[in-house]
Amino acid sequence: MLLAMLAPPASASVTVLVGEPFGSFGAMMPNGHTSIYLDRICADGPTKLRMCHPGEPQGVVVARYFHIGDLDWIATPPLEFLYAADRASEIPASATDAQVEALRQAYRARYLQAAMPAEAENAKAWEEWRETAGMAYIRRFWGYELATTREQDERLVAALNAAPNRRRYSVIRANCANFAADIVNFYYPRTVRADHLSDLGILSPKQVARRVATYGKKHPEAELKVIEIAQTPGTLPRSKPVRGGAEGFLKTKRYLAPLLVVQPEVVIGLTAAYLDRGRWQIGRGAEVVGPEEFEPVPGVVSSR
């Protein structure tokens, strides 16, 4: 008891998680996906938040999706979001497509029933539910973490719970990166904004990470930390590097080749935009963390 009283209070954080693009859509749009990890806040079901109790799994991941029924965002415990598992011991050392699907179906049955009708599993309006769990089997993640206070966390919980959780997705103005930016700006006002030159007017996941990294380097008190969550080994295809707006066009052959023929002046403009602000490298100096980072810690709300 005395040791507990003398121990310094656990710190907490908001982390921008940028997942690498994967599959055929990721090849066409190599921007990846953005979510937010909060290590002192927990999911109160898939559509509400609350402050964590001691000994619970470490925090929650919240993200905006294109098609999750009529919902704007889903809250998922981090081990579920990354590995569709409650404990690190349940995560396969090498995952197959069948294993990942079985883990996700078990997750849906135990966790999503309150928000998702059973018959909606294969409905188009719910087609992205699988992207709320087991994502480390198909993507590598880069995380950019800044410190938060308990008061800030409590205010965010109140704000998200009070606002209507209704579908708002728009590629240009309300995508997953915009949602992540709104949360970062809630804690650190005016930190994240779009770069209209290098991102062609659309906020990208890479841009959110870059802005957070820049802020953290200028403000040591924010305790910037960069992490990497590796893609789980297995038979599933490996994810691809995250690209920004102009960078994606320049480094994707299916776009670059026709533009060189039809509108070479556009390629010149994209190259200038990329060279000006688009060359920032995501993940530099990252610390690799494993599933044990998100395990419950008895008597502790946040381990950091």
Side-chain angles (χ1 to χ4, degrees):
M1 221 173 143
L2 179 61
L3 288 174
M5 291 171 64
L6 293 175
S11 61
S13 59
V14 54
T15 302
V16 172
L17 290 178
V18 177
E20 291 185 336
F22 68 95
S24 56
F25 184 78
M28 290 189 296
M29 298 288 289
N31 305 120
H33 186 265
T34 325
S35 50
I36 291 286
Y37 168 50
L38 301 150
D39 64 1
R40 185 161 42 194
I41 297 172
C42 281
D44 190 10
T47 60
K48 293 290 182 181
L49 302 175
R50 61 172 172 77
M51 301 302 291
C52 293
H53 303 309
E56 285 192 292
Q58 296 295 297
V60 68
V61 175
V62 290
R64 172 177 287 155
Y65 297 94
F66 174 56
H67 263 157
I68 301 286
D70 293 326
L71 298 173
D72 186 41
W73 54 269
I74 288 283
T76 313
L79 273 177
E80 299 274 18
F81 176 79
L82 293 168
Y83 307 104
D86 285 329
R87 294 279 178 178
S89 58
E90 301 170 2
I91 301 168
S94 180
T96 66
D97 202 12
Q99 285 176 310
V100 173
E101 179 63 12
L103 286 166
R104 283 177 169 161
Q105 290 294 348
Y107 153 84
R108 181 181 62 82
R110 70 176 174 267
Y111 187 74
L112 275 185
Q113 292 298 331
M116 177 181 174
E119 65 274 11
E121 175 193 348
N122 296 313
K124 185 173 179 58
W126 286 87
E127 63 185 357
E128 284 195 307
W129 75 263
R130 287 177 174 82
E131 295 195 27
T132 68
M135 293 309 295
Y137 299 118
I138 60 176
R139 302 180 189 265
R140 174 167 56 173
F141 283 88
W142 304 104
Y144 286 78
E145 172 188 305
L146 299 175
T148 67
T149 67
R150 185 174 186 87
E151 180 184 10
Q152 287 175 315
D153 290 337
E154 289 174 343
R155 288 196 298 112
L156 181 71
V157 168
L160 285 179
N161 284 346
N165 188 352
R166 297 195 191 108
R167 188 174 185 272
R168 292 184 54 207
Y169 189 92
S170 162
V171 171
I172 296 176
R173 301 200 177 275
N175 61 36
C176 62
N178 294 114
F179 179 79
D182 288 344
I183 293 182
V184 172
N185 290 337
F186 184 93
Y187 287 99
Y188 293 92
R190 297 179 296 280
T191 292
V192 180
R193 60 190 185 278
D195 187 322
H196 294 288
L197 186 62
S198 65
D199 270 342
L200 310 180
I202 301 174
L203 184 62
S204 71
K206 187 176 180 181
Q207 186 64 222
V208 179
R210 185 173 82 88
R211 296 287 189 182
V212 171
T214 300
Y215 181 91
K217 289 177 180 177
K218 289 181 178 179
H219 299 84
E221 68 279 6
E223 302 176 21
L224 173 68
K225 180 178 178 181
V226 184
I227 64 172
E228 175 186 351
I229 302 170
Q231 185 177 359
T232 306
T235 60
L236 282 80
R238 303 294 91 184
S239 57
K240 307 297 183 184
V242 175
R243 310 290 191 199
E247 180 186 18
F249 275 94
L250 289 172
K251 295 184 178 181
T252 304
K253 292 180 181 178
R254 72 182 69 198
Y255 301 134
L256 182 60
L259 281 174
L260 282 170
V261 174
V262 179
Q263 289 185 298
E265 67 277 9
V266 173
V267 176
I268 295 172
L270 290 172
T271 302
Y274 170 66
L275 292 175
D276 182 35
R277 285 190 287 252
R279 289 183 293 173
W280 179 78
Q281 182 180 342
I282 196 167
R284 183 175 295 172
E287 171 190 334
V288 179
V289 301
E292 63 281 353
E293 177 80 2
F294 310 102
E295 284 268 55
V297 179
V300 177
V301 172
S302 173
S303 62
R304 289 178 286 174

